Amino acid sequence: MNYQLLTFKVMGDELGNLISLEENRNIPFNIKRVYYIYGTKTDAIRGRHSHPKLNQVVVCVRGACKFLLDDGKIKKVIKLNSPEQGLFIGENIWREMSEFTPDCVLMVLANEFYNEDEYIRDYQQFKESLSNDKKNY
Ligand code: TYD
């Protein structure tokens, strides 16, 4: 499955910690957009979509939440609860986020600007998009 858990280098000293994220260095793409999700209701399920042409790295800078990743064949559940980790999510992965702690802040870096036309928000359509991809080979 096209995802990867990244571990960032922490610049820690007696004052506290600092992590730096840089495009094409510890973030594996050109960064065009950063957005963050916070104040999420603890029973909310966010996401429920895939992107045919988008790479993202998600950092849970505070609190915790759960990610369900699904490539149409395999499902993987990942708990994000550390600002020292980033979850890289590549193309064609259905994602659902849940179990947000009240303090959860999710920061997302993306390699493209926001484009609603590039979202697949229907699971059946997601599955069909995968078999359409295969037909192109
Ligand atoms: P949405 O994609 O539904 O969030 P999630 O998948 O995390 O549940 O986005 C919520 C709203 O924010 C929706 O109206 C689209 C808008 N939005 C932007 O304008 N820019 C962005 O970069 C993102 C991610 C969302």
Side-chain angles (χ1 to χ4, degrees):
M1 193 188 293
N2 194 8
Y3 82 94
Q4 201 184 336
L5 210 48
L6 311 171
T7 301
F8 302 128
K9 182 177 169 223
V10 182
M11 266 76 71
D13 59 23
E14 66 284 356
L15 299 178
N17 302 314
L18 185 152
I19 290 174
S20 168
L21 305 179
E22 297 181 300
E23 67 177 357
N24 298 319
R25 290 187 171 173
N26 56 355
I27 299 298
F29 48 71
N30 294 327
I31 302 166
K32 268 204 180 161
R33 175 166 54 115
V34 178
Y35 63 94
Y36 39 96
I37 294 171
Y38 62 100
T40 310
K41 297 221 165 67
T42 52
D43 60 353
I45 300 180
R46 296 204 67 136
R48 292 190 200 267
H49 62 251
S50 71
H51 295 284
K53 285 191 172 64
L54 188 71
N55 292 325
Q56 295 184 311
V57 170
V58 185
V59 183
C60 188
V61 290
R62 189 180 174 96
C65 74
K66 195 175 87 175
F67 265 76
L68 170 75
L69 302 181
D70 176 351
D71 68 359
K73 287 194 192 120
I74 300 167
K75 289 186 170 63
K76 183 91 192 164
V77 173
I78 294 161
K79 178 138 182 143
L80 284 188
N81 59 6
S82 167
E84 298 173 16
Q85 285 192 315
L87 176 62
F88 169 82
I89 308 175
E91 298 170 353
N92 293 316
I93 306 269
W94 184 265
R95 82 283 314 266
E96 299 184 2
M97 299 91 92
S98 62
E99 296 182 21
F100 289 85
T101 57
D103 60 344
C104 180
V105 181
L106 266 191
M107 182 177 69
V108 185
L109 293 79
N111 71 332
E112 289 295 346
F113 295 124
Y114 175 70
N115 175 10
E116 182 59 37
D117 295 343
E118 194 269 333
Y119 278 65
I120 298 180
R121 293 189 181 272
D122 177 81
Y123 189 77
Q124 201 49 43
Q125 213 180 314
F126 161 65
K127 295 280 275 186
E128 285 163 17
S129 75
L130 300 175
S131 42
N132 289 343
D133 264 8
K134 278 191 211 99
K135 280 180 206 143
N136 292 335
Y137 286 112

